[in-house]
Amino acid sequence: MKLKIKQTKKIRGEITVSGSKNATLPILAVSILTNEKIKLINVPDIVDVKYMLELLKSIGIKVIRNTITGEVTLKRKKLISKIKSPYLNKIRASYYLIGALFSEKRIIKDGLDDNKLFNLFSQYCKSNIPFCKVLLSPLTRK
């Protein structure tokens, strides 16, 4: 099947391009790392973003969201390293939070090899089972 398009007039106008989920989710996760107020614009109004914002709320981030303008404001309160949220198992991108939480709690230092990191992560998971269950389920360990 061939499709022919005949040019009639030049196209003119404006469109608004929505934000990217793949860019937004990691940015939301690193909001853990600062005490400063963060304002994001053009945040897409999609389920994955909603779930990530709920996860952030559950660990101590104040979230103000305006779905009409696409703005999200984040401000860290007291950070809770244990995540107890029904949204944890609903979003694959929840793994972004582990790096930010490890960094914030100064659990990871420079120079860790893979085995030390895996052992450290395993110890962390003993006290944070629901979160780590999601993260480790697709992984295999030799």
Side-chain angles (χ1 to χ4, degrees):
M1 179 172 144
K2 288 186 178 181
L3 181 64
K4 282 190 173 183
I5 300 173
K6 294 182 182 180
Q7 181 178 2
T8 57
K9 292 184 179 179
K10 290 190 177 193
I11 298 174
R12 295 175 193 235
E14 295 180 10
I15 62 167
T16 302
V17 179
S18 66
S20 165
K21 172 189 81 163
N22 292 334
T24 301
L25 294 175
I27 292 169
L28 290 172
V30 299
S31 68
I32 293 170
L33 301 177
T34 182
N35 289 319
E36 301 293 321
K37 186 177 182 180
I38 298 172
K39 184 176 182 180
L40 303 174
I41 57 172
N42 203 19
V43 175
D45 186 18
I46 57 173
V47 172
D48 284 3
V49 169
K50 176 188 172 198
Y51 290 167
M52 180 63 86
L53 292 174
E54 291 299 325
L55 283 169
L56 290 171
K57 286 179 191 176
S58 75
I59 60 171
I61 306 293
K62 181 180 179 184
V63 175
I64 300 170
R65 183 176 189 192
N66 185 330
T67 54
I68 295 169
T69 64
E71 291 181 1
V72 173
T73 304
L74 306 162
K75 176 71 172 119
R76 187 172 95 175
K77 299 185 287 184
K78 183 174 168 113
L79 199 62
I80 303 163
S81 61
K82 287 193 178 188
I83 300 174
K84 294 181 181 178
S85 172
Y87 297 101
L88 189 59
N89 295 323
K90 294 183 179 185
I91 178 173
R92 287 185 315 162
S94 61
Y95 68 88
Y96 287 129
L97 295 175
I98 195 72
L101 284 171
F102 272 18
S103 177
E104 177 56 28
K105 293 296 184 180
R106 307 298 185 253
I107 295 172
I108 295 179
K109 307 275 189 233
D110 290 336
L112 286 177
D113 64 26
D114 288 344
N115 286 328
K116 287 180 185 175
L117 183 58
F118 185 83
N119 291 335
L120 182 63
F121 185 69
S122 298
Q123 290 171 3
Y124 176 79
C125 286
K126 288 177 185 175
S127 65
N128 213 341
I129 292 169
F131 183 54
C132 295
K133 185 174 158 185
V134 172
L135 295 173
L136 292 175
S137 60
L139 301 177
T140 55
R141 184 75 176 145
K142 294 177 185 175

